Amino acid sequence: MTRTVIVGGTAAGTTVAARLRRLDETAEIILYEKNEFVSSAVCGFPYYIGNVIRDAGMLRVQTARTLGEKFKMDVRTCSEVISISPQEKNLQVKNLKTGEIYSEHYDNLILATGTVQSIPANIDFEAPGIFTLRTVSDAEKINAFIGDKKGLTALVYGSGFAGVEIADNLQHRGINTVLVGRGPHALRHFDRDLSALIDLQIKVSRIRFLQETVIAKAGLSGDGTGRLEAVLSDGTVINPDFIVVATGNRPDSRLAEKAGIALNDNKTIRVDSRMRTSVPDVYAVGDVIEFCSFVSGMNQHIALAGPAYRQARVCADNIAGLKSSEYHGAQNTAVIKINDLTAAYTGMNTDQLEQLKKKRQGFDYVPLLVSGKSHAGFYPRSVPVIIKAFFDKKQGRLLGAQAIGGEGIDKRIDVLAGIIRARGTYQDLAEADFCYAPPFSAANDALNFLGFLADNYFRSLAVYILWDEVEKEIDSGNSKFTVLDVRETMETGFSSFKGAVNIPLGELRDRLDELPKNNTIAVTCAVGVRAYNAARILMQNGFNDVRVICGGMHLYRSLHWKPY
């Protein structure tokens, strides 16, 4: 009988155990988890403290007892593995309830130790009212602290996915919320233009968002009142009723490092495509490992549940003898809800593509942005959809995409994720058949339009330019750069680019002599359709450098609107 020991009882660890049992009824399986609970729905914690999920029991996907009974395994909670002896194939385990330390033998060992939170040293976690949100117990403590109190103020430290979700849910619960983030924008994977719209939504949600700020010190105020005090890097002092720290995580590879298992430069555990580490019969899965990007082939660390589940399946397959099972990497697909806004991405962003451009000779890409509607505009409650995508310049292969808007953002990113996985191109978008009825989509979906934009580019029917490139040209005072706004004159009163020339599309053919033929003409309208039509007119009338501004004035106006 083969004994498999798993260290870590969250998503990856429990999935390995369940898959292995389905493949091998005779295997002896022991799972260690240092916390009280296994298999918790970590992603649901913000919604629990926001009172969207009312029952903490719903967050416990499995208990140690039910997991053990269902899959005939030995599940030991409150048990911390403190060392590994790979040559002897032994573990040292500490029972955290009794303090007892004992040895355990293994034939196969799986490290699913996940991440540990990066805890700032200048925050006094002994002070009442300062929390992290890593376990069900943490969520219950925060909920108990809030109770039925009214008029509370919360400070959330960290503007990544966890911090934004926590802040959004606390605000939803009626708690005045301050969000403090180190970076210039929330959710750093998004490009700057879409990040600006996400920041705007956070502020529109009445969350006070302090960007490019850190907490210099937090704890009890010291004035004898028992109040919390947070001193920010700019000297601002905030006295919240409680603080939730969500400053990110790092891979918990301490066990592996002590055992001499090879790590990467960022302290993730190095594995191959079968989840094997550098030590025989020791595997690793989940947030503690680094693996290749499916899109670029470069290594990356992605702490997401989806990849962890799939790695766990591959790991169990190989232990059970299904040697053809390999993990081919993830493309990094994620989604978040911020009040009524949905933001999602898949694949590579601009920063990553620029890195790849420096490393891979001959590689280049084209960014395109389309502004559309969630469903037919004539059907009630249609809302804007903005999609930004990146295509390989040589083959037109889709490399990544980001989208924000209301309903349907998740389904559109899922479609784009599928096209990336199939190594598809812009033609797959242009030709795709999407289901259509007015409540759900338009006859040509925003994804079709994205494909049309790319098709126009690759056929040299249009050249596109992004709004920030336009601003750079305007700010530089380039006299050879002209912005043409082809909206109706009454529309331009809301906003336009500085110095833009307004010639409505219907009048353009009769007023071509008002435009300098030797200039770069950047054409804009509301969303881009009229601008493309205008560009085709210009290009066939002797204008040799014409560009269409992606996203139009709807996007540009949103990017420059400030709620406070």
Side-chain angles (χ1 to χ4, degrees), residues 10-13 15-16 43 112 271-273 275 284-294 300-316 326-335 345-347 421:
T10 53
T15 301
V16 172
C43 296
V271 295
D272 65 10
S273 62
M275 304 293 108
V285 292
D287 297 352
V288 73
I289 72 168
E290 183 178 74
F291 45 86
C292 72
S293 162
F294 178 81
Q300 59 184 355
H301 178 232
I302 297 175
L304 291 172
Y309 285 125
R310 288 181 281 281
Q311 293 155 21
R313 181 183 177 91
V314 169
C315 180
E326 294 185 77
Y327 186 67
H328 298 293
Q331 62 208 54
N332 197 8
T333 304
V335 64
Y345 60 74
T346 185
R421 203 73 189 180

Side-chain angles (χ1 to χ4, degrees), residues 91-389:
L91 306 173
Q92 291 291 303
V93 185
K94 182 176 182 179
N95 185 319
L96 298 179
K97 289 184 176 179
T98 66
E100 174 195 4
I101 296 176
Y102 60 93
S103 294
E104 187 74 70
H105 175 76
Y106 68 84
D107 295 305
N108 295 297
L109 175 64
I110 301 155
L111 299 177
T113 46
T115 59
V116 289
Q117 188 164 2
S118 301
I119 300 294
N122 49 2
I123 296 179
D124 180 10
F125 284 91
E126 298 300 318
I130 298 182
F131 304 97
T132 58
L133 185 55
R134 296 271 300 173
T135 66
V136 175
S137 297
D138 292 337
E140 289 177 320
K141 287 174 185 175
I142 295 172
N143 236 8
F145 182 91
I146 296 170
D148 296 324
K149 302 185 188 79
K150 305 295 182 183
L152 292 178
T153 296
L155 188 156
V156 178
Y157 188 25
S159 58
F161 266 70
V164 171
E165 285 184 326
I166 292 166
D168 181 56
N169 277 278
L170 290 175
Q171 189 71 31
H172 171 80
R173 190 168 176 170
I175 295 169
N176 298 316
T177 304
V178 180
L179 177 65
V180 175
R182 181 186 297 272
H185 299 287
L187 308 180
R188 64 186 180 186
H189 185 88
F190 288 91
D191 278 12
R192 186 165 64 95
D193 41 11
L194 270 68
S195 285
L197 294 174
I198 292 167
D199 297 343
L200 178 64
Q201 179 65 25
I202 292 170
K203 295 172 182 178
V204 167
S205 301
R206 303 185 308 280
I207 295 169
R208 184 183 173 195
F209 184 21
L210 305 178
Q211 296 149 271
E212 297 184 279
T213 305
V214 297
I215 294 180
K217 182 181 179 183
L220 294 176
S221 64
D223 60 6
T225 61
R227 296 186 307 167
L228 286 178
E229 179 178 275
V231 181
L232 306 184
S233 51
D234 62 359
T236 301
V237 177
I238 298 176
N239 295 107
D241 295 292
F242 65 101
I243 298 172
V244 183
V245 178
T247 46
N249 305 304
R250 64 180 190 275
D252 189 2
S253 57
R254 293 169 292 180
L255 264 179
E257 187 171 25
K258 284 167 56 180
I261 295 170
L263 304 182
N264 298 300
D265 291 341
N266 61 357
K267 296 293 186 180
T268 52
I269 298 175
R270 188 177 302 162
V271 295
D272 65 10
S273 62
R274 292 183 170 88
M275 304 293 108
R276 298 175 296 196
T277 71
S278 61
V279 172
D281 302 318
V282 179
Y283 300 76
V285 292
D287 297 352
V288 73
I289 72 168
E290 183 178 74
F291 45 86
C292 72
S293 162
F294 178 81
V295 186
S296 70
M298 298 189 300
N299 277 359
Q300 59 184 355
H301 178 232
I302 297 175
L304 291 172
Y309 285 125
R310 288 181 281 281
Q311 293 155 21
R313 181 183 177 91
V314 169
C315 180
D317 287 355
N318 279 276
I319 290 172
L322 302 179
K323 300 301 183 183
S324 62
S325 188
E326 294 185 77
Y327 186 67
H328 298 293
Q331 62 208 54
N332 197 8
T333 304
V335 64
I336 189 171
K337 172 188 173 297
I338 310 163
N339 200 357
D340 293 328
L341 184 83
T342 303
Y345 60 74
T346 185
M348 303 182 76
N349 61 18
T350 294
D351 288 344
Q352 293 168 335
L353 287 163
E354 284 297 314
Q355 291 175 21
L356 187 60
K357 192 174 174 180
K358 292 175 183 176
K359 292 182 177 180
R360 188 178 294 174
Q361 188 174 6
F363 170 79
D364 204 356
Y365 67 97
V366 57
L368 294 174
L369 190 150
V370 65
S371 179
K373 291 287 187 179
S374 57
H375 56 253
F378 57 82
Y379 189 86
R381 294 185 293 278
S382 177
V383 294
V385 168
I386 295 171
I387 305 171
K388 186 175 186 179

Side-chain angles (χ1 to χ4, degrees), residues 411-431:
K411 77 172 183 179
R412 290 178 174 92
I413 284 292
D414 282 343
V415 168
L416 293 167
I419 289 175
I420 289 175
R421 203 73 189 180
R423 303 188 185 278
T425 70
Y426 66 90
Q427 291 171 318
D428 295 300
L429 286 169
E431 298 172 6

